[in-house]
Coordinates of all heavy atoms in Angstrom, one line a residue:
M72 N 3.9 -0.7 15.0 CA 2.7 -0.6 14.2 C 2.9 0.1 12.9 O 3.9 0.9 12.9 CB 1.6 0.0 15.0 CG 0.4 -0.8 15.2 SD -1.1 -0.3 14.3 CE -1.4 1.4 14.7
T73 N 2.2 -0.1 12.0 CA 2.2 0.6 10.8 C 0.8 0.7 10.2 O -0.1 0.0 10.6 CB 3.1 -0.1 9.7 OG1 3.1 0.6 8.5 CG2 2.6 -1.5 9.4
Y74 N 0.6 1.6 9.2 CA -0.6 1.6 8.5 C -0.4 0.6 7.2 O 0.8 0.5 6.8 CB -1.0 3.0 8.0 CG -1.8 3.7 9.2 CD1 -1.3 3.9 10.3 CD2 -3.1 4.0 9.0 CE1 -2.0 4.5 11.4 CE2 -3.9 4.6 10.0 CZ -3.3 4.9 11.2 OH -4.0 5.4 12.2
V75 N -1.5 0.1 6.7 CA -1.4 -0.9 5.7 C -2.3 -0.6 4.6 O -3.5 -0.1 4.8 CB -1.7 -2.3 6.2 CG1 -1.8 -3.3 5.2 CG2 -0.6 -2.7 7.3
I76 N -1.9 -0.7 3.3 CA -2.9 -0.5 2.2 C -3.4 -1.9 1.8 O -2.6 -2.8 1.6 CB -2.2 0.2 0.9 CG1 -1.8 1.6 1.4 CG2 -3.2 0.3 -0.2 CD1 -1.2 2.4 0.3
G77 N -4.7 -2.0 1.7 CA -5.3 -3.3 1.3 C -5.8 -3.3 -0.1 O -5.6 -2.4 -0.9
P78 N -6.4 -4.5 -0.5 CA -6.8 -4.7 -1.9 C -7.8 -3.8 -2.6 O -7.8 -3.7 -3.7 CB -7.4 -6.1 -1.9 CG -7.6 -6.5 -0.4 CD -6.7 -5.6 0.4
P79 N -8.6 -2.9 -1.7 CA -9.4 -2.0 -2.5 C -8.6 -1.0 -3.4 O -9.1 -0.4 -4.4 CB -10.1 -1.2 -1.4 CG -10.2 -2.3 -0.3 CD -8.9 -3.0 -0.4
C80 N -7.3 -0.9 -3.1 CA -6.4 0.0 -3.9 C -6.1 -0.5 -5.3 O -5.7 0.2 -6.2 CB -5.2 0.3 -3.1 SG -4.0 1.5 -3.9
I81 N -6.2 -1.9 -5.3 CA -5.7 -2.5 -6.6 C -6.5 -2.0 -7.8 O -7.7 -2.0 -7.8 CB -5.8 -4.1 -6.5 CG1 -4.9 -4.6 -5.4 CG2 -5.6 -4.8 -7.8 CD1 -5.1 -6.1 -5.0
D82 N -5.8 -1.5 -8.8 CA -6.3 -1.0 -10.1 C -7.2 0.3 -9.9 O -7.7 0.8 -10.9 CB -7.2 -2.0 -10.8 CG -6.4 -3.3 -11.2 OD1 -5.2 -3.1 -11.5 OD2 -7.0 -4.3 -11.3
V83 N -7.1 0.9 -8.6 CA -7.7 2.1 -8.5 C -6.5 3.3 -8.3 O -6.5 4.2 -9.1 CB -8.5 2.2 -7.1 CG1 -9.1 3.6 -6.8 CG2 -9.7 1.1 -7.2
K84 N -5.6 3.0 -7.4 CA -4.4 4.0 -7.3 C -4.8 5.4 -7.4 O -4.2 6.2 -8.1 CB -3.4 3.6 -8.5 CG -2.9 2.2 -8.4 CD -2.0 1.9 -9.6 CE -0.6 2.5 -9.6 NZ 0.2 2.1 -10.7
D85 N -5.8 5.8 -6.5 CA -6.2 7.2 -6.5 C -5.1 8.1 -6.1 O -5.0 9.3 -6.6 CB -7.4 7.3 -5.5 CG -7.8 8.7 -5.4 OD1 -8.7 9.0 -6.1 OD2 -7.4 9.4 -4.4
A86 N -4.2 7.7 -5.2 CA -3.0 8.4 -4.7 C -3.3 9.7 -3.9 O -2.3 10.5 -3.6 CB -2.2 8.8 -6.0
A87 N -4.5 9.9 -3.5 CA -4.8 11.0 -2.5 C -4.0 10.8 -1.3 O -3.5 11.8 -0.6 CB -6.3 11.0 -2.2
C88 N -3.7 9.6 -0.9 CA -2.9 9.4 0.3 C -1.5 9.9 0.3 O -1.0 10.3 1.2 CB -2.9 7.9 0.6 SG -2.3 6.9 -0.8
V89 N -1.0 9.8 -0.9 CA 0.5 10.4 -1.1 C 0.7 11.7 -0.5 O 1.6 12.1 0.1 CB 0.9 10.1 -2.5 CG1 2.3 10.7 -2.8 CG2 0.8 8.7 -2.9
A90 N -0.2 12.6 -0.9 CA 0.0 14.0 -0.6 C -0.3 14.2 0.9 O 0.2 15.3 1.3 CB -1.2 14.8 -1.4
E91 N -0.9 13.3 1.6 CA -1.1 13.5 3.0 C 0.0 13.0 3.9 O 0.2 13.4 5.0 CB -2.4 12.8 3.5 CG -3.6 13.3 2.8 CD -3.9 14.8 3.0 OE1 -3.7 15.2 4.1 OE2 -4.3 15.5 2.1
C92 N 0.9 12.1 3.4 CA 1.9 11.5 4.2 C 3.0 12.5 4.5 O 3.8 12.8 3.6 CB 2.3 10.2 3.5 SG 3.5 9.3 4.6
P93 N 3.3 12.8 5.8 CA 4.3 13.7 6.1 C 5.7 13.1 5.9 O 6.7 13.9 5.9 CB 4.0 14.1 7.6 CG 3.3 12.8 8.1 CD 2.5 12.3 7.0
V94 N 5.9 11.9 5.8 CA 7.2 11.2 5.7 C 7.4 10.6 4.3 O 8.4 9.9 4.1 CB 7.6 10.2 6.8 CG1 7.6 11.0 8.2 CG2 6.5 9.1 6.9
D95 N 6.4 10.8 3.4 CA 6.5 10.3 2.0 C 6.9 8.8 1.9 O 7.7 8.4 1.2 CB 7.6 11.2 1.3 CG 7.5 11.0 -0.2 OD1 6.5 10.7 -0.7 OD2 8.6 11.2 -0.8
C96 N 6.1 8.0 2.7 CA 6.4 6.6 2.8 C 5.4 5.7 2.0 O 5.4 4.5 2.3 CB 6.5 6.1 4.3 SG 5.0 6.0 5.2
I97 N 4.7 6.3 1.1 CA 3.7 5.5 0.3 C 4.2 5.4 -1.2 O 4.5 6.5 -1.8 CB 2.3 6.2 0.3 CG1 1.9 6.3 1.8 CG2 1.3 5.3 -0.5 CD1 0.5 7.1 1.9
Y98 N 4.5 4.2 -1.6 CA 5.3 4.0 -2.8 C 4.3 3.4 -3.9 O 3.5 2.6 -3.6 CB 6.4 3.1 -2.6 CG 7.5 3.7 -1.7 CD1 7.3 3.9 -0.3 CD2 8.7 4.2 -2.2 CE1 8.2 4.5 0.5 CE2 9.7 4.8 -1.3 CZ 9.4 4.9 0.0 OH 10.3 5.5 0.8
V99 N 4.6 3.8 -5.2 CA 3.8 3.4 -6.3 C 4.3 2.0 -6.9 O 5.5 1.9 -7.3 CB 3.9 4.4 -7.4 CG1 3.0 3.9 -8.6 CG2 3.4 5.8 -6.9
G100 N 3.5 1.0 -6.9 CA 3.7 -0.2 -7.5 C 2.9 -0.3 -8.9 O 2.3 0.6 -9.3
G101 N 2.9 -1.5 -9.4 CA 2.2 -1.7 -10.8 C 0.7 -1.5 -10.6 O 0.1 -0.7 -11.4
R102 N 0.0 -2.3 -9.7 CA -1.4 -2.2 -9.6 C -1.9 -1.5 -8.3 O -3.1 -1.4 -8.2 CB -2.0 -3.6 -9.6 CG -1.7 -4.4 -10.9 CD -2.4 -5.7 -10.9 NE -3.8 -5.7 -11.0 CZ -4.6 -6.7 -10.7 NH1 -4.1 -7.9 -10.5 NH2 -5.9 -6.7 -10.7
M103 N -1.0 -1.3 -7.4 CA -1.5 -0.6 -6.2 C -0.3 0.2 -5.5 O 0.8 0.2 -6.0 CB -2.0 -1.6 -5.1 CG -1.1 -2.6 -4.5 SD -1.8 -3.5 -3.2 CE -1.5 -2.4 -1.8
L104 N -0.5 1.0 -4.4 CA 0.5 1.6 -3.8 C 0.7 0.8 -2.4 O -0.2 0.1 -2.0 CB 0.1 3.1 -3.5 CG 0.5 4.0 -4.6 CD1 -0.4 3.7 -5.9 CD2 0.2 5.5 -4.2
Y105 N 2.0 1.0 -1.9 CA 2.3 0.2 -0.7 C 3.0 1.2 0.3 O 3.7 2.1 -0.1 CB 3.4 -0.8 -1.1 CG 3.0 -1.8 -2.2 CD1 3.1 -1.5 -3.6 CD2 2.6 -3.1 -1.8 CE1 2.7 -2.4 -4.5 CE2 2.2 -4.0 -2.8 CZ 2.3 -3.7 -4.1 OH 1.9 -4.6 -5.1
I106 N 2.7 0.9 1.6 CA 3.3 1.7 2.7 C 4.6 0.9 3.2 O 4.5 -0.2 3.5 CB 2.3 1.9 3.8 CG1 1.2 2.8 3.3 CG2 3.0 2.5 5.0 CD1 0.0 3.0 4.4
Q107 N 5.6 1.7 3.3 CA 6.9 1.2 3.8 C 6.8 1.0 5.4 O 6.8 2.1 6.0 CB 8.1 2.0 3.4 CG 9.3 1.4 3.0 CD 10.0 0.6 4.3 OE1 9.5 0.7 5.4 NE2 10.9 -0.3 3.9
P108 N 6.6 -0.1 5.9 CA 6.3 -0.1 7.4 C 7.4 0.4 8.3 O 7.1 0.8 9.4 CB 6.1 -1.7 7.6 CG 6.8 -2.3 6.5 CD 6.7 -1.4 5.3
D109 N 8.7 0.4 7.9 CA 9.8 0.9 8.7 C 9.8 2.4 8.6 O 10.5 3.0 9.5 CB 11.1 0.3 8.3 CG 11.1 -1.2 8.4 OD1 10.5 -1.7 9.5 OD2 11.8 -1.9 7.7
E110 N 9.2 3.0 7.6 CA 9.3 4.4 7.6 C 7.9 5.2 8.0 O 7.9 6.3 8.4 CB 9.5 4.9 6.1 CG 10.8 4.4 5.6 CD 11.1 4.7 4.1 OE1 10.1 5.1 3.4 OE2 12.2 4.4 3.6
C111 N 6.8 4.4 8.0 CA 5.5 4.9 8.5 C 5.6 5.3 10.0 O 6.1 4.6 10.8 CB 4.4 3.8 8.3 SG 2.9 4.3 8.9
I112 N 5.1 6.5 10.3 CA 5.1 7.0 11.6 C 3.7 6.9 12.3 O 3.5 7.5 13.4 CB 5.6 8.4 11.8 CG1 4.8 9.4 10.9 CG2 7.1 8.5 11.3 CD1 5.1 10.9 11.2
D113 N 2.8 6.1 11.7 CA 1.5 5.9 12.3 C 0.7 7.2 12.5 O 0.0 7.2 13.5 CB 1.7 5.1 13.6 CG 2.4 3.7 13.4 OD1 2.3 3.2 12.3 OD2 3.1 3.3 14.3
C114 N 0.9 8.1 11.7 CA 0.1 9.4 12.1 C -1.4 9.3 11.7 O -2.1 10.1 12.2 CB 0.8 10.6 11.3 SG 0.5 10.4 9.5
G115 N -1.8 8.4 10.8 CA -3.1 8.3 10.5 C -3.6 9.3 9.4 O -4.8 9.2 9.0
A116 N -2.8 10.1 8.9 CA -3.3 11.2 8.0 C -3.8 10.6 6.6 O -4.6 11.2 5.9 CB -2.1 12.2 7.7
C117 N -3.2 9.6 6.2 CA -3.6 8.9 4.9 C -4.9 8.3 5.0 O -5.7 8.2 3.9 CB -2.6 7.9 4.5 SG -2.2 6.6 5.7
E118 N -5.3 7.6 6.0 CA -6.5 6.8 6.2 C -7.8 7.5 5.7 O -8.5 6.9 4.9 CB -6.6 6.2 7.6 CG -7.8 5.4 7.7 CD -8.0 4.9 9.2 OE1 -7.3 5.3 10.1 OE2 -8.9 4.1 9.4
P119 N -8.2 8.7 6.2 CA -9.4 9.2 5.8 C -9.6 9.7 4.4 O -10.7 9.9 3.9 CB -9.7 10.4 6.8 CG -8.3 10.7 7.3 CD -7.4 9.6 7.2
V120 N -8.5 10.0 3.7 CA -8.5 10.5 2.3 C -8.7 9.5 1.2 O -9.0 9.9 0.1 CB -7.4 11.5 2.0 CG1 -7.3 12.6 3.0 CG2 -6.1 10.7 1.8
C121 N -8.6 8.3 1.6 CA -8.7 7.2 0.5 C -10.2 7.0 0.1 O -10.9 6.7 1.0 CB -8.1 5.9 0.9 SG -8.3 4.6 -0.3
P122 N -10.5 7.3 -1.1 CA -12.0 7.2 -1.5 C -12.6 5.8 -1.4 O -13.7 5.6 -1.5 CB -12.0 7.7 -2.9 CG -10.6 7.5 -3.4 CD -9.7 7.6 -2.2
V123 N -11.6 4.7 -1.4 CA -12.2 3.4 -1.5 C -11.9 2.7 -0.1 O -12.0 1.4 -0.1 CB -11.7 2.6 -2.6 CG1 -12.1 3.2 -4.0 CG2 -10.1 2.5 -2.7
E124 N -11.5 3.4 0.9 CA -11.2 2.9 2.3 C -10.2 1.7 2.3 O -10.5 0.6 2.8 CB -12.5 2.5 3.0 CG -13.4 3.7 3.2 CD -14.7 3.4 4.0 OE1 -14.7 2.3 4.7 OE2 -15.6 4.2 3.9
A125 N -9.1 1.9 1.5 CA -8.1 0.8 1.4 C -7.1 0.8 2.5 O -6.3 -0.2 2.7 CB -7.4 1.0 0.0
I126 N -7.1 1.9 3.3 CA -6.0 2.0 4.3 C -6.5 1.8 5.7 O -7.5 2.4 6.1 CB -5.4 3.4 4.2 CG1 -4.9 3.8 2.8 CG2 -4.1 3.6 5.2 CD1 -4.4 5.2 2.6
Y127 N -5.7 1.0 6.4 CA -6.1 0.6 7.8 C -4.9 0.6 8.7 O -3.8 0.3 8.3 CB -6.7 -0.8 7.9 CG -8.0 -1.0 7.2 CD1 -8.1 -1.2 5.9 CD2 -9.2 -0.9 7.9 CE1 -9.4 -1.3 5.2 CE2 -10.5 -0.9 7.3 CZ -10.5 -1.2 6.0 OH -11.7 -1.3 5.4
P128 N -5.0 0.9 10.0 CA -4.0 0.7 10.9 C -3.8 -0.8 11.0 O -4.8 -1.5 11.0 CB -4.5 1.2 12.3 CG -5.7 2.0 12.1 CD -6.3 1.5 10.6
E129 N -2.6 -1.4 11.1 CA -2.3 -2.8 11.1 C -3.2 -3.5 12.0 O -3.8 -4.6 11.7 CB -0.8 -3.0 11.4 CG -0.4 -4.3 11.5 CD 1.1 -4.4 12.0 OE1 1.7 -3.3 12.3 OE2 1.7 -5.5 12.0
A130 N -3.4 -3.0 13.2 CA -4.2 -3.7 14.2 C -5.7 -3.8 13.9 O -6.5 -4.6 14.5 CB -4.0 -3.1 15.6
F131 N -6.1 -3.0 13.0 CA -7.6 -2.9 12.6 C -7.9 -3.4 11.3 O -9.0 -3.2 10.7 CB -8.1 -1.5 12.9 CG -8.1 -1.2 14.3 CD1 -7.1 -0.3 14.9 CD2 -9.1 -1.6 15.2 CE1 -7.0 0.0 16.2 CE2 -9.1 -1.3 16.6 CZ -8.0 -0.5 17.1
L132 N -7.0 -4.1 10.6 CA -7.2 -4.7 9.3 C -8.3 -5.7 9.3 O -8.3 -6.5 10.2 CB -6.0 -5.4 8.7 CG -4.9 -4.7 7.9 CD1 -3.8 -5.7 7.6 CD2 -5.5 -4.2 6.6
P133 N -9.3 -5.5 8.4 CA -10.4 -6.6 8.4 C -9.7 -8.0 8.1 O -8.7 -8.0 7.5 CB -11.2 -6.2 7.2 CG -10.9 -4.7 7.0 CD -9.4 -4.5 7.4
A134 N -10.4 -9.0 8.7 CA -9.8 -10.3 8.6 C -9.3 -10.8 7.2 O -8.3 -11.3 7.0 CB -10.7 -11.4 9.3
E135 N -10.2 -10.4 6.2 CA -9.9 -10.9 4.9 C -8.7 -10.0 4.3 O -8.3 -10.4 3.2 CB -11.2 -10.8 4.0 CG -11.7 -9.3 3.8 CD -12.7 -8.8 4.8 OE1 -12.6 -9.3 6.0 OE2 -13.5 -7.9 4.5
F136 N -8.3 -8.9 4.9 CA -7.1 -8.2 4.4 C -5.8 -8.6 5.1 O -4.8 -7.9 4.9 CB -7.4 -6.7 4.5 CG -8.5 -6.2 3.7 CD1 -9.0 -4.9 3.9 CD2 -9.2 -7.0 2.7 CE1 -10.0 -4.4 3.1 CE2 -10.3 -6.5 2.1 CZ -10.7 -5.2 2.2
Q137 N -5.9 -9.5 6.1 CA -4.8 -9.7 7.1 C -3.4 -9.9 6.4 O -2.4 -9.4 6.7 CB -5.0 -10.9 7.9 CG -6.0 -10.7 9.0 CD -5.5 -9.6 10.1 OE1 -4.3 -9.5 10.4 NE2 -6.4 -8.9 10.6
K138 N -3.4 -10.6 5.3 CA -2.1 -11.0 4.6 C -1.5 -9.6 4.1 O -0.3 -9.7 3.7 CB -2.2 -12.0 3.5 CG -3.0 -11.5 2.3 CD -2.9 -12.5 1.1 CE -3.9 -13.8 1.4 NZ -4.4 -14.3 0.1
F139 N -2.2 -8.5 3.9 CA -1.6 -7.3 3.4 C -0.7 -6.6 4.2 O 0.1 -5.8 3.8 CB -2.8 -6.4 2.8 CG -3.2 -6.9 1.4 CD1 -4.0 -8.0 1.3 CD2 -2.7 -6.2 0.3 CE1 -4.4 -8.3 0.0 CE2 -3.0 -6.6 -0.9 CZ -3.9 -7.7 -1.1
T140 N -0.6 -7.0 5.5 CA 0.5 -6.4 6.4 C 1.9 -6.9 5.6 O 2.8 -6.1 5.5 CB 0.4 -6.9 7.8 OG1 -0.8 -6.3 8.3 CG2 1.6 -6.3 8.6
E141 N 1.9 -8.2 5.4 CA 3.1 -8.8 4.8 C 3.2 -8.4 3.4 O 4.4 -8.2 3.0 CB 3.0 -10.3 5.0 CG 4.1 -11.2 4.9 CD 3.8 -12.6 5.2 OE1 3.3 -13.0 6.3 OE2 4.0 -13.4 4.3
V142 N 2.2 -8.3 2.7 CA 2.2 -7.9 1.3 C 2.9 -6.5 1.2 O 3.8 -6.3 0.3 CB 0.8 -7.9 0.6 CG1 0.8 -7.1 -0.7 CG2 0.4 -9.3 0.5
N143 N 2.5 -5.5 2.0 CA 3.1 -4.2 2.0 C 4.6 -4.3 2.3 O 5.4 -3.7 1.6 CB 2.4 -3.3 2.9 CG 1.1 -2.6 2.4 OD1 1.0 -1.4 2.1 ND2 0.2 -3.5 2.1
A144 N 5.0 -5.1 3.4 CA 6.3 -5.1 3.9 C 7.1 -5.8 2.8 O 8.3 -5.4 2.5 CB 6.4 -5.8 5.2
D145 N 6.8 -6.9 2.3 CA 7.6 -7.7 1.5 C 7.8 -7.1 0.0 O 8.7 -7.3 -0.6 CB 7.0 -9.1 1.2 CG 7.0 -10.0 2.5 OD1 7.7 -9.6 3.4 OD2 6.5 -11.1 2.5
F146 N 6.9 -6.2 -0.3 CA 6.9 -5.5 -1.6 C 8.3 -4.8 -1.8 O 8.9 -4.8 -2.8 CB 5.8 -4.5 -1.8 CG 6.0 -3.5 -2.9 CD1 5.9 -4.0 -4.3 CD2 6.4 -2.2 -2.8 CE1 6.1 -3.1 -5.3 CE2 6.7 -1.3 -3.8 CZ 6.5 -1.8 -5.1
F147 N 8.8 -4.3 -0.6 CA 10.0 -3.5 -0.7 C 11.2 -4.3 -0.8 O 12.2 -3.8 -1.4 CB 10.1 -2.6 0.6 CG 9.0 -1.5 0.6 CD1 7.7 -1.8 1.2 CD2 9.2 -0.3 -0.1 CE1 6.7 -0.8 1.0 CE2 8.1 0.7 -0.2 CZ 7.0 0.4 0.3
Q148 N 11.2 -5.6 -0.5 CA 12.3 -6.5 -0.7 C 12.2 -6.9 -2.2 O 13.1 -7.0 -2.9 CB 12.2 -7.7 0.3 CG 12.3 -7.3 1.7 CD 13.4 -6.3 2.0 OE1 14.6 -6.3 1.5 NE2 13.1 -5.3 2.8
I149 N 10.9 -7.3 -2.5 CA 10.7 -7.9 -3.9 C 11.1 -6.9 -4.9 O 11.7 -7.2 -5.9 CB 9.2 -8.3 -4.1 CG1 8.9 -9.5 -3.2 CG2 8.9 -8.5 -5.5 CD1 7.4 -9.8 -2.9
A150 N 10.7 -5.6 -4.7 CA 11.0 -4.6 -5.7 C 12.4 -4.1 -5.6 O 12.8 -3.2 -6.3 CB 10.0 -3.4 -5.6
G151 N 13.2 -4.5 -4.6 CA 14.6 -4.1 -4.4 C 14.7 -2.7 -3.9 O 15.7 -2.0 -4.1
L152 N 13.6 -2.3 -3.2 CA 13.6 -0.8 -2.7 C 14.3 -0.7 -1.3 O 14.9 0.4 -1.0 CB 12.2 -0.2 -2.8 CG 11.6 0.0 -4.1 CD1 10.1 0.4 -4.0 CD2 12.3 1.0 -4.9
G153 N 14.0 -1.7 -0.5 CA 14.5 -1.5 0.9 C 13.8 -0.4 1.6 O 12.6 -0.3 1.5
T154 N 14.6 0.5 2.2 CA 14.0 1.7 2.9 C 14.6 2.9 2.3 O 15.6 3.4 2.8 CB 14.3 1.6 4.4 OG1 15.7 1.4 4.6 CG2 13.6 0.5 5.1
P155 N 14.0 3.4 1.2 CA 14.6 4.5 0.5 C 14.6 5.8 1.2 O 15.3 6.8 0.8 CB 13.7 4.6 -0.8 CG 12.9 3.4 -0.8 CD 12.8 2.9 0.6
G156 N 13.7 6.0 2.2 CA 13.7 7.2 2.9 C 12.8 8.3 2.3 O 12.8 9.5 2.6
G157 N 11.9 7.8 1.4 CA 10.9 8.7 0.8 C 10.6 8.4 -0.6 O 11.7 8.1 -1.4
A158 N 9.4 8.4 -1.0 CA 9.0 8.0 -2.4 C 9.6 8.9 -3.4 O 9.7 8.6 -4.6 CB 7.5 7.8 -2.5
A159 N 9.9 10.2 -3.0 CA 10.4 11.2 -4.0 C 11.8 10.7 -4.6 O 12.2 11.2 -5.6 CB 10.5 12.5 -3.4
Y160 N 12.4 9.8 -3.8 CA 13.8 9.4 -4.2 C 13.8 8.2 -5.1 O 14.9 7.8 -5.5 CB 14.6 9.0 -2.9 CG 14.8 10.2 -2.0 CD1 14.3 10.2 -0.7 CD2 15.4 11.3 -2.4 CE1 14.4 11.2 0.2 CE2 15.5 12.5 -1.5 CZ 15.0 12.4 -0.2 OH 15.1 13.4 0.7
V161 N 12.6 7.7 -5.4 CA 12.7 6.5 -6.3 C 11.6 6.6 -7.4 O 10.6 7.3 -7.2 CB 12.4 5.1 -5.5 CG1 13.4 4.9 -4.5 CG2 11.0 5.2 -4.9
E162 N 11.9 6.0 -8.5 CA 10.9 6.0 -9.7 C 9.8 5.0 -9.2 O 10.0 4.0 -8.5 CB 11.6 5.4 -10.9 CG 12.6 6.3 -11.5 CD 12.1 7.7 -12.0 OE1 11.0 7.7 -12.5 OE2 12.9 8.7 -11.9
P163 N 8.6 5.3 -9.7 CA 7.5 4.3 -9.5 C 7.9 2.9 -10.0 O 8.6 2.9 -11.1 CB 6.3 4.9 -10.3 CG 6.6 6.3 -10.4 CD 8.1 6.5 -10.4
V164 N 7.5 1.9 -9.4 CA 7.8 0.6 -9.8 C 6.7 -0.1 -10.5 O 5.5 0.1 -10.2 CB 8.2 -0.3 -8.5 CG1 8.4 -1.8 -8.8 CG2 9.3 0.3 -7.8
E165 N 7.0 -0.8 -11.6 CA 5.9 -1.5 -12.3 C 5.6 -2.9 -11.7 O 4.6 -3.4 -12.0 CB 6.4 -1.7 -13.8 CG 6.4 -0.5 -14.7 CD 5.0 0.2 -14.8 OE1 4.0 -0.5 -14.8 OE2 5.0 1.4 -14.7
A166 N 6.4 -3.4 -10.9 CA 6.2 -4.7 -10.3 C 5.2 -4.6 -9.1 O 4.8 -3.5 -8.6 CB 7.6 -5.2 -9.7
D167 N 4.7 -5.9 -8.7 CA 3.8 -5.9 -7.6 C 4.2 -7.0 -6.7 O 4.9 -8.0 -7.2 CB 2.4 -6.1 -8.1 CG 1.7 -4.8 -8.5 OD1 1.6 -3.9 -7.5 OD2 1.4 -4.5 -9.6
H168 N 3.7 -7.1 -5.5 CA 3.9 -8.4 -4.8 C 3.0 -9.4 -5.5 O 2.0 -9.2 -6.1 CB 3.1 -8.2 -3.3 CG 3.4 -9.3 -2.4 ND1 2.7 -10.4 -2.5 CD2 4.2 -9.5 -1.4 CE1 3.0 -11.3 -1.6 NE2 4.0 -10.7 -0.8
P169 N 3.5 -10.7 -5.5 CA 2.8 -11.8 -6.2 C 1.4 -11.9 -5.9 O 0.5 -12.3 -6.8 CB 3.6 -13.1 -5.8 CG 4.9 -12.6 -5.3 CD 4.7 -11.2 -4.9
V170 N 0.9 -11.7 -4.6 CA -0.5 -11.7 -4.3 C -1.3 -10.7 -5.0 O -2.4 -10.9 -5.5 CB -0.6 -11.5 -2.7 CG1 -2.1 -11.2 -2.4 CG2 -0.1 -12.7 -2.0
V171 N -0.7 -9.5 -5.2 CA -1.3 -8.4 -5.9 C -1.3 -8.7 -7.4 O -2.3 -8.5 -8.1 CB -0.7 -7.1 -5.6 CG1 -1.2 -6.0 -6.4 CG2 -0.9 -6.8 -4.1
H172 N -0.3 -9.2 -7.9 CA -0.1 -9.5 -9.3 C -1.2 -10.5 -9.7 O -1.7 -10.4 -10.8 CB 1.3 -10.0 -9.6 CG 1.6 -10.3 -11.0 ND1 1.8 -9.3 -11.9 CD2 1.7 -11.5 -11.7 CE1 1.9 -9.8 -13.1 NE2 1.9 -11.1 -13.0
A173 N -1.5 -11.5 -8.8 CA -2.4 -12.5 -9.2 C -3.9 -12.1 -8.8 O -4.7 -12.9 -9.1 CB -2.1 -13.8 -8.4
W174 N -4.1 -11.0 -8.2 CA -5.4 -10.5 -7.8 C -6.3 -10.4 -9.1 O -5.9 -9.9 -10.1 CB -5.3 -9.2 -7.1 CG -6.4 -8.9 -6.2 CD1 -7.6 -8.3 -6.5 CD2 -6.5 -9.4 -4.8 NE1 -8.4 -8.3 -5.4 CE2 -7.8 -9.0 -4.3 CE3 -5.7 -10.1 -4.0 CZ2 -8.3 -9.2 -3.0 CZ3 -6.2 -10.4 -2.7 CH2 -7.4 -9.9 -2.3
P175 N -7.5 -10.9 -9.0 CA -8.4 -11.0 -10.2 C -8.7 -9.5 -10.6 O -8.9 -8.6 -9.8 CB -9.6 -11.7 -9.7 CG -9.3 -12.3 -8.4 CD -8.1 -11.7 -7.9
E176 N -8.7 -9.3 -11.8 CA -9.1 -8.0 -12.4 C -10.6 -7.9 -12.2 O -11.4 -8.9 -12.3 CB -8.7 -7.9 -13.9 CG -7.3 -8.1 -14.0 CD -6.6 -7.3 -15.2 OE1 -7.4 -6.5 -15.8 OE2 -5.5 -7.4 -15.3
P177 N -11.2 -6.7 -12.1 CA -12.6 -6.5 -12.0 C -13.3 -7.0 -13.2 O -12.8 -6.9 -14.4 CB -12.8 -5.0 -11.8 CG -11.4 -4.4 -12.0 CD -10.4 -5.5 -12.1
S178 N -14.4 -7.7 -13.1 CA -15.1 -8.2 -14.3 C -15.7 -7.0 -15.1 O -16.2 -6.0 -14.5 CB -16.2 -9.1 -14.0 OG -16.4 -9.1 -12.6
P179 N -15.7 -7.1 -16.4 CA -16.2 -6.0 -17.2 C -17.7 -5.8 -17.0 O -18.4 -6.8 -16.7 CB -15.9 -6.4 -18.7 CG -15.4 -7.8 -18.6 CD -15.1 -8.2 -17.1
T180 N -18.1 -4.6 -17.0 CA -19.6 -4.4 -16.7 C -20.4 -4.1 -18.0 O -19.7 -3.7 -19.0 CB -19.8 -3.2 -15.8 OG1 -19.1 -2.1 -16.3 CG2 -19.4 -3.6 -14.4
Ligands
LIG1357 FE1 -4.8 3.6 -3.1 FE2 -6.5 4.9 -1.7 FE3 -4.0 5.7 -1.8 S1 -6.9 4.0 -3.7 S2 -3.4 5.1 -3.8 S3 -4.7 3.8 -1.0 S4 -5.8 7.0 -1.8
LIG1358 FE1 2.3 8.1 6.1 FE2 1.0 8.6 8.4 FE3 -0.1 7.1 6.5 S1 3.1 8.2 8.1 S2 1.5 6.0 5.4 S3 0.3 9.3 6.4 S4 -0.1 6.8 8.7

């Protein structure tokens, strides 16, 4: 199992979750942050601090966010990061998973 960041994070990137993660497995992308599923220890510390409720345990992802398990995992191949062993070891990435890249921007108010 892993925790997964879903689309409410897109263009928000609050980053409160990063400070809570004991294994530093939350990585910065262009429009959102991503959890490295092979490094996540399923502790749940990140979930309650996200102000937009973007983080879920994989098994409890709402149906409309299901594809984000794959989106989080595939980001690390797409961005060429693999399993770095901690976000402190890599620079933030400007790229995103194609699903996130194509996600509609919020309409102007
Ligand atoms: Fe995103 Fe929420 Fe973390 S907005 S960066 S998942 S605190
Ligand atoms: Fe990190 Fe625990 Fe969340 S390992 S990504 S704080 S579930």
